[in-house]
Amino acid sequence: MQLTNYPWKFIWRFLLQKFLHLFLLLLAVSVLTFVLVSLSPVNPIDAYIGSDVMRVGAEQRALIAQRWGLDQPMTTRFFLWLGQLLQGNLGTSITYNQSVSEVIGDRFGASLALMAISLGCYQDFSG
């Protein structure tokens, strides 16, 4: 088979369509996840404060809301988050108080090792 006769334009169009579908799917999942988390009945500030809810005043709550952007409309928060995401900034972990990228990076090696072990076990038991 000669490569010069192969329909490359169809392959490129197919790949472009697949990447467009992937982009739209990721956008839809991002919007849906963001909306569901934003409409959650759990107040993120109360969840962050924990058992000290009664000791934290309204001024401190307002400062936390401003720092996290919770004082802005949901659409504004989403587009700010999306813009940061497209720049590679995943935000700051509230639990670990460090960059989410660093938290993921610290645990990536262990996750990769666990995946390799499980894949090896699967290969051994599957024949």
Side-chain angles (χ1 to χ4, degrees):
M1 176 162 83
Q2 294 179 348
L3 290 178
T4 56
N5 294 335
Y6 201 73
W8 290 105
K9 65 179 179 179
F10 296 114
I11 292 174
W12 286 113
R13 187 168 64 195
F14 174 77
L15 289 175
L16 184 64
Q17 286 176 343
K18 291 299 175 187
F19 278 117
L20 179 64
H21 289 152
L22 176 65
F23 173 75
L24 292 175
L25 177 66
L26 289 174
L27 183 63
V29 168
S30 297
V31 169
L32 182 65
T33 303
F34 195 88
V35 167
L36 289 175
V37 168
S38 294
L39 297 178
S40 170
V42 176
N43 183 345
I45 297 172
D46 289 342
Y48 175 69
I49 295 169
S51 61
D52 294 332
V53 171
M54 300 307 285
R55 289 189 268 173
V56 176
E59 294 173 2
Q60 289 176 317
R61 288 174 181 272
L63 287 174
I64 294 171
Q66 183 181 14
R67 180 176 178 210
W68 290 351
L70 297 174
D71 57 343
Q72 299 176 4
M74 186 174 22
T75 54
T76 303
R77 290 193 326 251
F78 176 75
F79 285 114
L80 288 173
W81 171 80
L82 186 62
Q84 292 294 316
L85 181 69
L86 293 175
Q87 294 176 13
N89 181 3
L90 300 177
T92 303
S93 169
I94 296 170
T95 305
Y96 299 104
N97 200 22
Q98 65 185 105
S99 169
V100 172
S101 299
E102 291 175 13
V103 173
I104 292 171
D106 290 345
R107 288 151 182 81
F108 185 73
S111 297
L112 192 62
L114 183 61
M115 184 179 68
I117 291 169
S118 64
L119 183 62
C121 290
Y122 173 76
Q123 292 297 325
D124 287 343
F125 292 123
S126 66

